[in-house]
Amino acid sequence: MTIERIPQKHYPKAEIWRRGMALGLDFLGAWLISSLFGSNSFGIQFVQILVFIFCWLILRVVVVFNNRGQSLGRWAFDLKILEVENGQVVGRIPQLLALVKREAIIGFGALLVSIALGNIRANPTAILLLLPLAIDCGAAFSDTQLRQALHDRYARTFIVSSRRGYSLDIKIKRLVDTLQRNVRR
């Protein structure tokens, strides 16, 4: 009797630029909603921060948990989040606690970015608030095997390309190609 090893199912790695665009789209949604609750004064707006945190958790945890691993941004760019066990990608959506851990880390960086955007005119050094998010997401460049950012490693998650989505990146490429052909004529 021999023990055979079952080959792991292959999950295509998501390109980093697509992950960034999906994160940007989710950030834009939470930031626009929270900016409605801000005032015209400079400084930290506590109500705006609370609304941003609430929107972030809804968009990135509740929606993902109920929508087969896709947030609005990930759906638009055909991405999906899966769980990692012992260095191997498992074909299931992470548990709610893992999603909360993951999004607490990246949400903190996104919150600092939103504070920086609100205060950049009054205090140009607010640009330094982008560093935590850049360091967290920049770790994906050094991981050649799974392309996991720090928040992915901590929560044991992995972003893969998906067939289910809106394919916004493909639609934009087609639109640009059509515009270029029309300009050449």
Side-chain angles (χ1 to χ4, degrees):
M1 178 187 227
T2 62
I3 298 175
E4 272 187 53
R5 188 163 200 187
I6 299 172
Q8 180 188 0
K9 184 177 178 185
H10 174 71
Y11 294 100
K13 296 178 197 173
E15 294 92 4
I16 292 178
W17 69 270
R18 283 176 57 201
R19 291 178 64 177
M21 296 298 285
L23 174 66
L25 187 60
D26 289 337
F27 172 79
L28 186 64
W31 184 64
L32 286 176
I33 293 169
S34 69
S35 66
L36 297 174
F37 293 91
S39 65
N40 289 336
S41 63
F42 293 109
I44 297 175
Q45 310 288 324
F46 290 107
V47 173
Q48 188 175 359
I49 289 173
L50 291 175
V51 171
F52 182 86
I53 292 170
F54 179 74
C55 290
W56 189 262
L57 289 176
I58 295 294
L59 287 172
R60 300 277 294 196
V61 175
V62 175
V63 171
V64 169
F65 191 70
N66 291 321
N67 194 26
R68 293 186 259 168
Q70 291 184 315
S71 65
L72 177 66
R74 287 192 209 108
W75 176 76
F77 288 94
D78 297 333
L79 300 173
K80 185 177 188 176
I81 187 169
L82 296 176
E83 193 173 308
V84 173
E85 249 180 35
N86 300 325
Q88 302 294 323
V89 179
V90 183
R92 66 176 177 252
I93 307 305
Q95 296 296 317
L96 192 60
L97 182 60
L99 286 174
V100 169
K101 282 195 258 183
R102 179 185 195 279
E103 295 307 327
I105 294 169
I106 196 163
F108 178 71
L111 178 64
L112 292 177
V113 170
S114 79
I115 292 170
L117 290 174
N119 294 304
I120 197 81
R121 287 183 304 168
N123 186 3
T125 59
I127 194 82
L128 295 174
L129 292 175
L130 279 80
L131 284 177
L133 185 64
I135 291 169
D136 176 31
C137 295
F141 287 108
S142 66
D143 185 5
T144 56
Q145 184 182 7
L146 293 177
R147 290 191 191 140
Q148 287 180 302
L150 294 177
H151 58 271
D152 287 320
R153 292 177 193 170
Y154 179 72
R156 296 185 186 108
T157 57
F158 179 66
I159 304 291
V160 298
S161 293
S162 167
R163 292 184 188 179
R164 181 179 169 267
Y166 184 69
S167 305
L168 184 61
D169 55 333
I170 295 170
K171 291 179 180 184
I172 290 174
K173 284 180 186 177
R174 287 182 189 154
L175 179 67
V176 168
D177 289 341
T178 304
L179 289 173
Q180 286 178 347
R181 278 185 295 215
N182 289 341
V183 168
R184 289 181 190 152
R185 289 182 186 171

